[in-house]
Structure formats: structure tokens, C-alpha cells
Amino acid sequence: MDNDWADHLVRRIVALETRNAVDEVHRTNVADRLSAIEDTLKWLVRLIIGGLLMAGLTYAVKGGLIR
């Protein structure tokens, strides 16, 4: 009977360790993906702001501010 109890505990510990390892890998993958998304959004915002600035500059150079 003690052997069954010990085997049960060992199985539970192994299951917990496996679940913990899977969760750790999942957290790492999620963190990497979020970092990539943040980098992409940063460049997208830079491109949009740059485009707006260039449009404003083009408007000013073509005499849009004089009219």
C-alpha cells in the first residue's frame, strides 16, 4: 500500500514538472512574439509619422502655405 502511494506521488510530481516545463516554454514563446509585434508596431508608427511629415513638407514646398 505504501508503494502505491509513493508511485502516485511520483506520477503527480512528474506531471507537475512536465506541465511546468511546457508552461515555461509557452511563456517564452509568447514573450518573443509580443516583442516582435511591438517592434513591428514601432516601425509602422514611424512610417506613418514619416509619411505625414513628408506630406506636410511637400504641401509647404509646393506653395500650400502661401495661398
Side-chain angles (χ1 to χ4, degrees):
M1 182 164 209
D2 286 335
N3 195 19
D4 290 340
W5 182 74
D7 288 342
H8 177 70
L9 283 179
V10 167
R11 282 194 303 272
R12 286 184 63 187
I13 290 171
V14 168
L16 284 172
E17 288 175 344
T18 302
R19 187 177 310 136
N20 189 29
V22 169
D23 288 343
E24 184 177 338
V25 169
H26 181 68
R27 279 190 296 274
T28 303
N29 288 340
V30 168
D32 291 343
R33 288 180 179 177
L34 284 176
S35 177
I37 290 169
E38 288 172 349
D39 289 343
T40 301
L41 286 176
K42 179 176 26 176
W43 278 104
L44 182 61
V45 167
R46 288 176 181 173
L47 287 171
I48 290 171
I49 291 172
L52 290 173
L53 289 173
M54 290 306 295
L57 182 63
T58 302
Y59 179 74
V61 167
K62 286 192 171 188
L65 295 178
I66 296 173
R67 294 181 190 176

